[in-house]
Amino acid sequence: MRDETGALAALVALAQEMRLRALRTLLHAFPEGMPAGQLGAAIGCAPSTLTFHLRQLLEAGLVESRRQGVSVIYTARPAGLADLTDYLTEACCGGRPEVCRPRPGSRGGEAVPACPGPSETQAVSQAARAPAGPAGRSRA
């Protein structure tokens, strides 16, 4: 499982437009991947700039590369995204994963946590925002 440092590296890598485009394009091309030149053309990124961005994605564990003849083929690492998702959702639903369920309409049937109904924190927050009734009492 990913630690905080790894999760931050992945989030920082994804917080940049070209890197996010590159990863999404490579996910679309998964599992074959694509050569760097083709990837750069697809996302509108110059080769030298693309090399920098791909290095960030490689270091974050979101992409991998392999040499194929004279080309370097880049491939998305869905396992890297799964590690990040696991780290972010490990305490989902108050640390009770059994109450989480796949989000309706999720693509490909992947399990995306969706907690059932408002949490206690959300309920308190909603009550606090409710208009005050007579004598300052909440109407919630």
Side-chain angles (χ1 to χ4, degrees):
M1 183 165 274
R2 211 175 252 281
D3 61 2
E4 185 174 276
T5 302
L8 286 170
L11 291 169
V12 166
L14 293 173
Q16 202 285 333
E17 182 180 7
M18 281 296 162
R19 291 192 289 264
L20 183 59
R21 283 183 191 172
L23 181 62
R24 292 194 62 180
T25 301
L26 291 172
L27 284 166
H28 183 74
F30 188 80
E32 293 82 16
M34 62 177 37
Q38 184 181 347
L39 177 59
I43 65 171
C45 189
S48 60
T49 305
L50 182 63
T51 300
F52 169 79
H53 290 309
L54 288 171
R55 189 174 335 117
Q56 301 299 311
L57 292 168
L58 283 161
E59 290 174 6
L62 299 172
V63 171
E64 56 192 17
S65 66
R66 69 182 186 280
R67 186 156 290 284
Q68 186 173 319
V70 296
S71 297
V72 177
I73 307 298
Y74 289 90
T75 309
R77 277 195 70 245
L81 286 173
D83 288 346
L84 177 60
T85 301
D86 288 347
Y87 177 80
L88 293 173
T89 60
E90 71 185 355
C92 179
C93 301
R96 298 177 306 153
E98 71 277 4
V99 300
C100 291
R101 62 184 186 280
R103 183 180 69 209
S106 62
R107 292 187 229 171
E110 76 263 16
V112 177
C115 298
S119 68
E120 289 179 30
T121 304
Q122 289 170 322
V124 169
S125 176
Q126 289 169 354
R129 285 192 305 262
R137 292 189 189 137
S138 172
R139 293 184 193 166

